[in-house]
Amino acid sequence: YTNDTTGDICNHARSRFIELVSKVTLQEFMLQFNVIAEKVHQSDDSDFYEQRGVKIHSLEVTGYHCAERSTAEILEAIIQETTNRMNRLQQQESENEVQLKQIRGDIEE
């Protein structure tokens, strides 16, 4: 161990997070990101934190990036398609509302 408790804790948590992430698919990672982050310290059976006199209450991941460019490109495409789909749905809902108001107006006349 080093004299840098904060750095040790960060490195230990990062290592545990990578260990858990390596066991899931990209889809599972995207759907269960927060669950995985929670498991990082809750399922840690080592006495790592106790030896340093610290107690971890929660773990927040402030960012991440893909190790491989090809994975990043696929993820980017998935995000773009999801955004496009959401925009199309929103546009369709707006058009449906306009049509519904027109129909209601025609009925009232």
Side-chain angles (χ1 to χ4, degrees), residues 4-58:
D4 180 15
T5 302
T6 305
D8 289 346
I9 291 169
C10 185
N11 288 331
H12 181 76
R14 182 182 300 119
S15 176
R16 293 270 304 131
F17 192 79
I18 290 169
E19 178 185 332
L20 292 176
V21 166
S22 70
K23 297 177 182 177
V24 298
T25 65
L26 177 60
Q27 184 176 8
E28 290 169 328
F29 172 75
M30 298 302 294
L31 293 173
Q32 299 178 4
F33 180 79
N34 292 324
V35 173
I36 294 169
E38 192 175 309
K39 285 181 182 177
V40 167
H41 72 89
Q42 288 185 346
S43 66
D44 191 343
D45 294 334
S46 72
D47 60 352
F48 177 84
Y49 300 111
E50 189 177 313
Q51 285 182 352
R52 283 159 185 74
V54 297
K55 179 172 176 65
I56 304 297
H57 295 280
S58 67

Side-chain angles (χ1 to χ4, degrees), residues 81-97:
E81 181 54 38
T82 301
T83 302
N84 290 342
R85 188 170 9 120
M86 290 171 65
N87 287 340
R88 287 190 303 267
L89 285 170
Q90 213 169 26
Q91 181 180 4
Q92 185 63 50
E93 286 175 0
S94 295
E95 291 173 6
N96 290 348
E97 285 180 35

